Amino acid sequence: MTNINFNDECVHVVFLGLPNVPGIAAEIFGALSERSVSVNMVTQNTMRGGRSDLSFLIRKDRLDEMISVCKEVAEHVGAQGVSFATEIAAITVELQSPSDTAHTLAKIFSALASVNVNIEIINSTSESVICIVSSTKAREGLDALKKAFE
């Protein structure tokens, strides 16, 4: 039986248009570390023009405090902005066998598509696949995945 977890107590934070130079991520996560903020699912995408976006998840109960911190850090490091997506959920599917990852990914994506759940972010490791989806469709997605993997 595949273990499938659900978390709707998270916020997706995105630092937009960061200068793509060494040390920027260290400053961002240093500021969060000073406030003992736990982060998950860190992703960075490099864009044209020497800029990048850096995103991660934090717990929803830390959002009010983190908005001002993140805005201050974004200004300090020269980001073009920072955004906070609160209407999301993370659905995690633990992988049974890393050798069968493509099959499992196809099964996850097919199950979510069958109930019209769009995946906003995907993160995969050798142990799990995490799909960030809209909270309005998350329960449907969770049910479809449970059915697909029973």
Side-chain angles (χ1 to χ4, degrees):
M1 181 86 183
T2 300
N3 192 17
I4 302 171
N5 300 308
F6 176 83
N7 177 7
D8 62 354
E9 292 299 318
C10 52
V11 174
H12 181 222
V13 180
V14 183
F15 280 79
L16 302 160
L18 290 165
N20 193 19
V21 296
I24 299 293
E27 288 198 46
I28 292 168
F29 293 109
L32 298 175
S33 175
E34 287 173 8
R35 290 154 183 91
S36 300
V37 174
S38 177
V39 301
N40 190 5
M41 219 170 109
V42 178
T43 305
Q44 181 175 340
N45 297 309
T46 303
M47 304 177 311
R48 294 181 184 171
R51 294 280 175 171
S52 63
D53 289 346
L54 176 72
S55 68
F56 50 90
L57 301 179
I58 62 171
R59 290 189 346 241
K60 200 174 270 188
D61 64 356
R62 299 296 302 265
L63 177 61
D64 289 343
E65 153 191 20
M66 288 299 100
I67 289 174
S68 61
V69 170
C70 289
K71 286 182 177 182
E72 182 180 307
V73 173
E75 185 176 325
H76 175 73
V77 299
Q80 293 172 341
V82 62
S83 71
F84 305 89
T86 58
E87 300 301 317
I88 61 158
I91 302 174
T92 303
V93 178
E94 291 182 14
L95 300 177
Q96 296 295 321
S97 169
S99 64
D100 199 20
T101 306
H103 174 74
T104 303
L105 288 169
K107 197 172 186 177
I108 291 168
F109 301 152
S110 293
L112 293 174
S114 74
V115 291
N116 202 31
V117 173
N118 191 40
I119 302 169
E120 297 179 20
I121 306 167
I122 304 162
N123 184 312
S124 113
T125 69
S126 61
E127 297 159 356
S128 66
V129 176
I130 304 172
C131 298
I132 304 301
V133 301
S134 169
S135 59
T136 61
K137 299 287 285 182
R139 293 283 177 191
E140 283 181 74
L142 180 65
D143 292 342
L145 286 168
K146 286 182 175 181
K147 184 177 179 181
F149 284 94
E150 35 177 50

